Amino acid sequence: MADTLTITDNRTGKSYEIDVTDETVRGLDLRQIKVEEDDFGLMVYDPGYTNTASCRSAITYIDGEAGVLQHRGYPIEELCEKSSYLEVAYLLVFGELPTGPQLERWVYDVTHHTFVHEDMKAFYRGFRHDAHPMGILLAGVGAMSTFYPDGKQIEDEEERYMAAIRLIAKMPTLAAFSYRHSLGLPYVYPDNDLGYAANFLAMMRRMTEIKYAPDERLAKALDVLFILHADHEQNCSTAAVRAVGSSQVDPYSAVAAGVAALYGPLHGGANEAVLRMLRRIEKVENVPDFLEGVKSREEKLMGFGHRVYKNYDPRARIIKKHVDEVLALTGDNPLLDIATELEKRALEDEYFTSRRLYPNVDYYSGLIYEALGIPSEMFTVIFAIPRTSGWIAQWMEMHGDSEQRIARPRQIYTGERDRTYVDVADREGPEKITGPPARRPVRARRGA
Ligand code: SDX
């Protein structure tokens, strides 16, 4: 049997042989299917790209049915147990686990690029005290393109390496600065004696101590969370990095597009939304009513559901194990009881099981962040820190792929055609607009 499709166009009776490669057909191969010779030809209409492969990638493999996640072939469970975030970042970027000397140089380079330009502090001072940290981070990452203009030389291997190092190294600093800004606290500079996750906690939490060393077990839990959030194939924010990066803009601007996409409550913003949801449920007894609200579509069960996983998100399983460990150190959180009851009942309810809705990576992660003393506005920022290594790895892979071109989707045009311009005096409509001009009061509190 040939690896082809035979398509018969019933509008013309013509048949076409379309190649099948990697379980896909090339969209362009459909353009030959026309009624009239001068027709444009068939396109694929796929809102949200639910069934469209945009690239070839060797970075992350997900089997949504089986709940499998592997980075460069290594199961996420093994990486969480045996590796570190910086080692996984190296694996994502270069494709192989580093040797001892390679890991030593990589960690040295990241550690010695954690400072940001002093002018970034002046830039941050322009934000309101209650500016959302993701909005500040988004601006900060975009501003990096102005501090490192040589990043535009995207064909230069050394510049690409430096962009990877700078983005991975400075993201925790930019994130911690955005947190300290929101509290009106002085910025804490990186401490090169600390590991990656511990250094981030120190930049968030150090006050008058000369040296601040967080509990190693908590730093380890955060490092595992960083591994779990490092990459996830062509999710919304990675697709944004690839699309923006396809214009050959510098990597800092492309990663800023990823930060913007991750900010959304349907994507990285879900972890913050889960905590708000659990607080609104308030107590375990309210769980049944809340789930009825979800089923009547008055609510959304944040932290549940996934475009790819139609089974338990393997990351949620690992995080839940660490929640118990962290809370044993930091003290119980009544929200965990609500989350556990909510999960239990949802997984027993046909409404959710029939829609293949299971907990995803965001469902339990917020409980750990809260236990680490991190405010919910910072949760998505914490997601952005490790996802930076995935974004830059995908950006590098895209630029090394000779098949890739500038992203420019087509459309189905539904508007008017060939209309004649009418002078404003001759246009039909209300004689005058009544009522006050549109005005929205500036929020009195932090924007959600
Ligand atoms: C992340 O893509 C990635 O890999 C993302 C991510 C990563 O690492 O990068 O894994 C990180 O973004 C995880 C997802 C975090 N978001 C949330 O937890 C927000 C809540 N989840 C949903 O909004 C939703 O499940 C999505 C956005 C995650 C997935 O949406 P899809 O694939 O477009 O699914 P859908 O909206 O078509 O839902 C299918 C059905 C619908 O029911 P019907 O209209 O067919 O009756 O399931 C329902 C939806 O209404 N549904 C939910 C639901 N999610 C889907 N109903 C209630 N609560 C939900 N959370």
Side-chain angles (χ1 to χ4, degrees):
M1 299 293 275
D3 283 339
T4 61
L5 285 185
T6 302
I7 297 177
T8 300
D9 184 346
N10 295 321
R11 300 173 297 174
T12 61
K14 286 184 187 168
S15 284
Y16 305 83
E17 287 292 297
I18 306 284
D19 286 341
V20 176
T21 48
D22 302 314
E23 295 297 299
T24 62
V25 293
R26 297 183 77 92
L28 269 181
D29 286 353
L30 300 176
R31 286 280 294 283
Q32 61 184 304
I33 302 175
K34 303 178 180 184
V35 175
E36 305 301 337
E37 197 40 44
D38 61 354
D39 283 355
F40 183 79
L42 285 194
M43 290 194 294
V44 173
Y45 177 49
D46 185 10
Y49 310 115
T50 55
N51 192 40
T52 295
S54 61
C55 63
R56 294 173 187 278
S57 179
I59 297 173
T60 292
Y61 172 76
I62 301 175
D63 177 336
E65 290 299 325
V68 170
L69 169 58
Q70 299 181 350
H71 291 313
R72 301 288 190 179
Y74 294 95
I76 191 67
E77 295 79 5
E78 268 202 88
L79 292 173
C80 286
E81 202 180 310
K82 300 174 180 168
S83 188
S84 67
Y85 167 68
L86 282 185
E87 183 176 75
V88 170
Y90 183 100
L91 173 67
L92 293 174
V93 169
F94 295 103
E96 294 297 336
L97 286 170
T99 60
Q102 287 170 331
L103 181 60
E104 195 180 330
R105 164 52 61 87
W106 176 252
V107 172
Y108 179 90
D109 285 347
V110 171
T111 304
H112 291 82
H113 282 86
T114 48
F115 274 63
V116 294
H117 193 290
E118 280 291 285
D119 287 353
M120 192 65 91
K121 286 164 50 178
F123 178 63
Y124 267 36
R125 262 200 293 281
F127 288 99
R128 282 172 54 113
H129 74 280
D130 61 352
H132 196 289
M134 271 302 273
I136 299 176
L137 183 68
L138 169 55
V141 175
M144 284 178 75
S145 66
T146 66
F147 288 103
Y148 308 105
D150 289 349
K152 289 185 176 62
Q153 296 161 36
I154 59 174
E155 300 310 326
D156 180 312
E157 199 171 326
E158 181 58 25
E159 280 302 332
R160 288 213 294 251
Y161 178 79
M162 283 313 301
I165 288 291
R166 286 182 181 130
L167 281 162
I168 293 169
K170 298 177 196 302
M171 205 52 110
T173 310
L174 291 174
F177 278 20
S178 68
Y179 171 67
R180 301 287 286 198
H181 173 84
S182 69
L183 297 178
L185 288 173
Y187 298 136
V188 173
Y189 286 109
D191 177 346
N192 289 352
D193 296 335
L194 295 175
Y196 190 84
N199 181 41
F200 172 65
L201 289 175
M203 290 192 287
M204 288 272 291
R205 312 252 306 259
R206 200 173 98 211
M207 298 306 272
T208 59
E209 306 89 330
I210 301 301
K211 288 289 269 191
Y212 177 96
D215 182 315
E216 281 177 17
R217 294 164 297 182
L218 298 181
K220 173 62 182 165
L222 184 59
D223 197 72
V224 170
L225 279 166
F226 282 171
I227 293 174
L228 288 165
H229 286 82
D231 189 64
H232 212 241
E233 57 136 285
Q234 305 311 313
N235 57 85
C236 179
S237 53
T238 297
V241 170
R242 279 179 171 260
V244 169
S246 72
S247 71
Q248 297 195 356
V249 74
D250 67 272
Y252 306 102
S253 303
V255 167
V259 175
L262 193 73
Y263 196 177
L266 293 189
H267 189 11
N271 50 22
E272 183 181 349
V274 167
L275 260 287
R276 284 206 302 273
M277 172 186 77
L278 295 176
R279 286 202 182 93
R280 264 191 315 114
I281 294 170
E282 206 176 347
K283 46 184 184 272
V284 170
E285 300 81 270
N286 296 339
V287 164
D289 285 350
F290 177 79
L291 285 176
E292 286 313 309
V294 173
K295 294 193 275 190
S296 57
R297 296 170 191 265
E298 293 150 33
E299 301 278 0
K300 197 178 258 282
L301 184 49
M302 299 311 280
F304 258 66
H306 200 278
R307 174 65 55 78
V308 176
Y309 290 122
K310 298 310 173 190
N311 201 317
Y312 214 101
D313 183 332
R315 300 169 296 174
R317 208 187 299 282
I318 296 168
I319 291 174
K320 189 172 179 188
K321 189 162 66 75
H322 282 276
V323 168
D324 299 335
E325 287 167 14
V326 168
L327 293 188
L329 288 171
T330 59
D332 277 346
N333 182 339
L335 295 182
L336 176 60
D337 299 334
I338 299 171
T340 307
E341 179 68 11
L342 196 55
E343 175 192 352
K344 177 175 169 296
R345 285 178 176 267
L347 296 187
E348 291 164 355
D349 189 313
E350 190 272 340
Y351 178 92
F352 299 96
T353 52
S354 65
R355 289 172 174 77
R356 317 282 303 272
L357 300 177
Y358 294 88
N360 60 48
V361 68
D362 291 308
Y363 189 63
Y364 285 107
S365 52
L367 289 168
I368 292 187
Y369 298 148
E370 186 163 80
L372 295 175
I374 295 166
S376 57
E377 293 85 3
M378 283 293 291
F379 289 2
T380 309
V381 171
I382 311 252
F383 192 152
I385 292 173
R387 185 52 57 92
T388 299
S389 56
W391 287 331
I392 196 72
Q394 298 269 352
W395 176 84
M396 285 176 159
E397 184 178 64
M398 175 187 70
H399 280 301
D401 180 347
S402 58
E403 273 195 314
Q404 286 302 316
R405 308 165 66 186
I406 187 168
R408 203 273 181 226
R410 298 287 183 162
Q411 65 175 14
I412 298 172
Y413 179 66
T414 58
E416 305 273 353
R417 295 289 310 277
D418 308 325
R419 302 170 83 180
T420 304
Y421 184 83
V422 177
D423 188 84
V424 65
D426 304 330
R427 292 171 200 159
E428 291 171 11
E431 289 304 314
K432 68 188 179 78
I433 302 294
T434 55
R439 213 182 75 76
R440 293 272 298 152
V442 175
R443 279 176 186 270
R445 58 173 183 75
R446 176 188 296 289

